Amino acid sequence: EVLMTQSPATLSVSPGERVTLSCRASQSVTRNLAWYQQKPGQAPRLLIYDASTRATGIPARFSGSGSGTEFTLSISSLQSEDFAIYYCQQYNNWPPYTFGQGTKLEIK
Amino acid sequence: EVQLLESGGGLVQPGGSLRLSCAASGFTFSSYAIQWVRQVPGKGLEWVTGSSGIGGATYYPDSVKGRFTISRDNSKNVVYLQMNSLRAEDTALYYCVRNRGPWGHDAFDFWGLGTMVTVS
């Protein structure tokens, strides 16, 4: 089973700032990595798939990069609606699909 | 518009059974893999089981293998999750989720709102 580790667990940032979230896999997942955003009381929403491809309707301020075991999600110029929990997920070595434990983005 | 609507959650005693349903609409159902993902309130995401769109192959993690069964009716656009021998640790919000493609080797592009299962 591939273990996904996200860092940091919580990130306090101000609106308008740029932020980078990290995700590390315990073994290579090539580029089969997705990022999801979850707001309170809502289901997760796909942001990025294949490590760097934005899903339909996702603003350009969201970008993903990485391959192998190291991945990042960047959000340029944070908007108020971006404060949420972000999860990474690998779909390279499945079953099982595995998720990171999440990074909570909170307002500073 | 793609929609996934879960139902069937509720309160059940340990050792009991429950069947969840996921009604899909807005896409060619048989062409997509469907998964169930659960989330304990306030906690992270855990994949529960899945079914490929073509051939209907099924997959389970060790945590539910032998207790949970996924099935799909492509004529009705519905996926079922039969859960037996339920344990307290199965308590969670269960999401029905669509893969981007038919085989499961892809991200999850649409999620239902979830149905809550409480084992107590």
Side-chain angles (χ1 to χ4, degrees), chain A residues 4-9 21-24 35 86-89 99-103:
Chain A
M4 306 300 292
T5 304
Q6 292 184 242
S7 60
L21 284 60
S22 295
C23 176
R24 174 175 292 178
W35 290 93
Y86 292 82
Y87 295 96
C88 64
Q89 176 222 6
F99 295 87
Q101 79 281 18
T103 290

Tab-separated table of all heavy atoms in Angstrom, chain A residues 4-9 21-24 35 86-89 99-103:
chain	number	residue	atom	x	y	z
A	4	MET	N	0.621	8.040	1.627
A	4	MET	CA	0.679	9.429	1.167
A	4	MET	C	0.800	10.342	2.389
A	4	MET	O	-0.009	10.246	3.313
A	4	MET	CB	-0.565	9.791	0.368
A	4	MET	CG	-0.859	8.838	-0.791
A	4	MET	SD	0.455	8.762	-2.005
A	4	MET	CE	0.368	10.403	-2.713
A	5	THR	N	1.787	11.204	2.381
A	5	THR	CA	2.030	12.094	3.511
A	5	THR	C	1.975	13.540	3.052
A	5	THR	O	2.734	13.935	2.157
A	5	THR	CB	3.396	11.796	4.149
A	5	THR	OG1	3.454	10.419	4.535
A	5	THR	CG2	3.613	12.676	5.375
A	6	GLN	N	1.100	14.312	3.664
A	6	GLN	CA	0.961	15.723	3.309
A	6	GLN	C	1.574	16.604	4.391
A	6	GLN	O	1.552	16.284	5.575
A	6	GLN	CB	-0.510	16.094	3.135
A	6	GLN	CG	-1.151	15.431	1.929
A	6	GLN	CD	-2.569	15.883	1.714
A	6	GLN	OE1	-3.499	15.080	1.769
A	6	GLN	NE2	-2.754	17.179	1.451
A	7	SER	N	2.114	17.714	3.948
A	7	SER	CA	2.668	18.680	4.891
A	7	SER	C	2.461	20.098	4.377
A	7	SER	O	2.441	20.334	3.161
A	7	SER	CB	4.164	18.416	5.113
A	7	SER	OG	4.878	18.526	3.900
A	8	PRO	N	2.271	21.055	5.309
A	8	PRO	CA	2.042	20.810	6.731
A	8	PRO	C	0.604	20.354	6.986
A	8	PRO	O	-0.195	20.327	6.055
A	8	PRO	CB	2.285	22.202	7.335
A	8	PRO	CG	1.805	23.128	6.267
A	8	PRO	CD	2.178	22.474	4.954
A	9	ALA	N	0.287	20.037	8.209
A	9	ALA	CA	-1.076	19.645	8.555
A	9	ALA	C	-2.012	20.850	8.494
A	9	ALA	O	-3.173	20.737	8.075
A	9	ALA	CB	-1.117	19.019	9.935
A	21	LEU	N	1.418	23.600	-1.061
A	21	LEU	CA	1.156	22.433	-0.231
A	21	LEU	C	1.949	21.263	-0.790
A	21	LEU	O	2.104	21.135	-2.012
A	21	LEU	CB	-0.335	22.082	-0.259
A	21	LEU	CG	-1.306	22.932	0.548
A	21	LEU	CD1	-1.301	24.382	0.109
A	21	LEU	CD2	-2.711	22.359	0.457
A	22	SER	N	2.416	20.396	0.111
A	22	SER	CA	3.249	19.275	-0.313
A	22	SER	C	2.584	17.932	-0.066
A	22	SER	O	1.810	17.769	0.881
A	22	SER	CB	4.591	19.310	0.421
A	22	SER	OG	5.327	20.447	0.058
A	23	CYS	N	2.933	16.989	-0.914
A	23	CYS	CA	2.433	15.614	-0.804
A	23	CYS	C	3.564	14.686	-1.217
A	23	CYS	O	4.168	14.872	-2.283
A	23	CYS	CB	1.215	15.434	-1.704
A	23	CYS	SG	0.555	13.749	-1.763
A	24	ARG	N	3.817	13.709	-0.377
A	24	ARG	CA	4.897	12.764	-0.653
A	24	ARG	C	4.341	11.355	-0.633
A	24	ARG	O	3.566	10.988	0.259
A	24	ARG	CB	6.004	12.886	0.395
A	24	ARG	CG	7.112	11.841	0.283
A	24	ARG	CD	8.206	12.113	1.288
A	24	ARG	NE	8.924	13.347	0.964
A	24	ARG	CZ	9.918	13.835	1.723
A	24	ARG	NH1	10.281	13.214	2.825
A	24	ARG	NH2	10.522	14.951	1.363
A	35	TRP	N	-5.411	16.047	-6.642
A	35	TRP	CA	-5.648	16.935	-5.508
A	35	TRP	C	-7.136	17.243	-5.428
A	35	TRP	O	-7.785	17.495	-6.447
A	35	TRP	CB	-4.880	18.245	-5.664
A	35	TRP	CG	-3.399	18.133	-5.527
A	35	TRP	CD1	-2.484	17.952	-6.531
A	35	TRP	CD2	-2.633	18.220	-4.317
A	35	TRP	NE1	-1.207	17.914	-6.023
A	35	TRP	CE2	-1.273	18.080	-4.662
A	35	TRP	CE3	-2.975	18.399	-2.975
A	35	TRP	CZ2	-0.256	18.123	-3.709
A	35	TRP	CZ3	-1.970	18.437	-2.037
A	35	TRP	CH2	-0.617	18.306	-2.398
A	86	TYR	N	-7.277	20.343	1.884
A	86	TYR	CA	-6.805	19.811	0.605
A	86	TYR	C	-6.216	18.422	0.818
A	86	TYR	O	-5.414	18.209	1.723
A	86	TYR	CB	-5.770	20.755	-0.010
A	86	TYR	CG	-6.385	22.063	-0.432
A	86	TYR	CD1	-6.591	23.079	0.492
A	86	TYR	CD2	-6.816	22.254	-1.741
A	86	TYR	CE1	-7.189	24.274	0.116
A	86	TYR	CE2	-7.415	23.442	-2.129
A	86	TYR	CZ	-7.604	24.449	-1.184
A	86	TYR	OH	-8.217	25.624	-1.555
A	87	TYR	N	-6.636	17.496	-0.037
A	87	TYR	CA	-6.156	16.126	0.023
A	87	TYR	C	-5.459	15.762	-1.285
A	87	TYR	O	-5.937	16.120	-2.363
A	87	TYR	CB	-7.313	15.141	0.224
A	87	TYR	CG	-8.046	15.266	1.527
A	87	TYR	CD1	-9.220	16.011	1.622
A	87	TYR	CD2	-7.587	14.610	2.670
A	87	TYR	CE1	-9.911	16.103	2.825
A	87	TYR	CE2	-8.273	14.700	3.876
A	87	TYR	CZ	-9.432	15.459	3.941
A	87	TYR	OH	-10.108	15.555	5.137
A	88	CYS	N	-4.374	15.011	-1.159
A	88	CYS	CA	-3.793	14.386	-2.341
A	88	CYS	C	-4.190	12.915	-2.334
A	88	CYS	O	-4.548	12.348	-1.291
A	88	CYS	CB	-2.275	14.552	-2.384
A	88	CYS	SG	-1.353	13.758	-1.046
A	89	GLN	N	-4.157	12.310	-3.504
A	89	GLN	CA	-4.564	10.913	-3.666
A	89	GLN	C	-3.765	10.292	-4.790
A	89	GLN	O	-3.586	10.920	-5.844
A	89	GLN	CB	-6.059	10.825	-3.996
A	89	GLN	CG	-6.557	9.427	-4.285
A	89	GLN	CD	-7.514	9.362	-5.465
A	89	GLN	OE1	-7.737	10.340	-6.166
A	89	GLN	NE2	-8.102	8.201	-5.689
A	99	PHE	N	-5.155	8.151	0.165
A	99	PHE	CA	-5.199	9.595	0.306
A	99	PHE	C	-4.195	10.055	1.360
A	99	PHE	O	-3.885	9.312	2.310
A	99	PHE	CB	-6.589	10.053	0.775
A	99	PHE	CG	-7.695	9.790	-0.200
A	99	PHE	CD1	-8.364	8.582	-0.216
A	99	PHE	CD2	-8.096	10.780	-1.093
A	99	PHE	CE1	-9.409	8.347	-1.105
A	99	PHE	CE2	-9.137	10.567	-1.979
A	99	PHE	CZ	-9.783	9.339	-1.991
A	100	GLY	N	-3.741	11.283	1.207
A	100	GLY	CA	-3.007	11.920	2.284
A	100	GLY	C	-3.966	12.290	3.403
A	100	GLY	O	-5.187	12.228	3.231
A	101	GLN	N	-3.423	12.697	4.523
A	101	GLN	CA	-4.250	13.003	5.689
A	101	GLN	C	-4.864	14.398	5.615
A	101	GLN	O	-5.707	14.745	6.446
A	101	GLN	CB	-3.428	12.872	6.983
A	101	GLN	CG	-2.511	14.046	7.289
A	101	GLN	CD	-1.213	14.047	6.508
A	101	GLN	OE1	-1.055	13.374	5.481
A	101	GLN	NE2	-0.250	14.821	6.999
A	102	GLY	N	-4.451	15.172	4.620
A	102	GLY	CA	-5.041	16.483	4.411
A	102	GLY	C	-4.200	17.628	4.960
A	102	GLY	O	-3.482	17.475	5.951
A	103	THR	N	-4.300	18.764	4.305
A	103	THR	CA	-3.717	20.019	4.786
A	103	THR	C	-4.841	21.033	4.901
A	103	THR	O	-5.570	21.269	3.932
A	103	THR	CB	-2.650	20.560	3.823
A	103	THR	OG1	-1.495	19.728	3.859
A	103	THR	CG2	-2.237	21.984	4.228
